[in-house]
Amino acid sequence: MNKRSIVILPVLLLVLAYLLAAGCLTQGNTGESAGNRSLSSVDKVEVYHFHATRQCYSCIVLGEYAEETVKTYFGPELASGKLVFGHINVDLPENRAIVEKYGPTGSSLWIGVTNRGEFSKEENIRVWYKIGNKEEYMDYLKGVIEKRLAGDLS
């Protein structure tokens, strides 16, 4: 190995480690998997923050902001059961059924909508791009949840 390779290799490893830790984004869809279907109304909306036992800072913030958004803007819907929120540790055996239902591949925010026995789910990856600005994150997620509660799955 020459001197240049000796310097470049640790830098590349450091960059890779950073991307894996700080950017523990999921592999997956674009956040629009529910398609453009629209329901007239919905029976239930579920918002779940899936995570592993060990979480990076970004993964923790993703869940904290989601929980704060739901509690701040959707108290009546939470109380009635029309909206459900939860932090789901994918490593725990008691969460196996819900993990299989949603199929998260890493730390992620999923929204499920049930209406008349039909269930659709979507992974929302756009929230990852908003975790640097709490207000923008909460405004965005509030808008998405309002649409889902109204039956808009676009």
Side-chain angles (χ1 to χ4, degrees):
M1 260 192 214
N2 62 31
K3 288 183 181 182
R4 186 174 182 198
S5 296
I6 293 171
V7 171
I8 292 175
L9 184 59
V11 171
L12 288 176
L13 290 174
L14 183 62
V15 169
L16 179 61
Y18 174 77
L19 290 173
L20 289 173
C24 56
L25 303 179
T26 62
Q27 309 83 27
N29 62 36
T30 63
E32 298 300 325
S33 67
N36 291 325
R37 286 186 322 161
S38 181
L39 304 171
S40 58
S41 64
V42 297
D43 299 325
K44 186 176 187 179
V45 174
E46 303 169 338
V47 179
Y48 291 120
H49 166 230
F50 289 95
H51 62 87
T53 300
R54 296 184 67 198
Q55 299 183 70
C56 69
Y57 175 78
S58 297
C59 298
I60 293 168
V61 170
L62 180 86
E64 288 176 349
Y65 286 1
E67 181 176 11
E68 187 172 342
T69 301
V70 169
K71 287 182 175 179
T72 299
Y73 298 110
F74 300 101
E77 293 85 355
L78 283 170
S80 72
K82 185 166 183 152
L83 178 65
V84 175
F85 175 81
H87 297 280
I88 308 297
N89 185 332
V90 299
D91 296 331
L92 299 178
E94 60 263 28
N95 294 332
R96 184 178 197 172
I98 195 161
V99 169
E100 288 177 359
K101 179 180 179 181
Y102 279 86
T105 58
S107 186
S108 51
L109 189 72
W110 286 75
I111 300 172
V113 177
T114 303
N115 189 51
R116 297 184 194 130
E118 290 189 33
F119 176 74
S120 64
K121 63 186 178 184
E122 65 181 306
E123 177 184 10
N124 191 305
I125 66 167
R126 292 182 180 170
V127 289
W128 285 105
Y129 300 103
K130 300 181 183 310
I131 61 174
N133 183 323
K134 183 178 179 180
E135 184 177 323
E136 185 179 334
Y137 178 108
M138 291 179 69
D139 286 345
Y140 168 75
L141 185 57
K142 176 183 178 238
V144 171
I145 294 171
E146 287 172 340
K147 281 182 173 183
R148 300 308 175 263
L149 286 167
D152 183 351
L153 302 182
S154 63

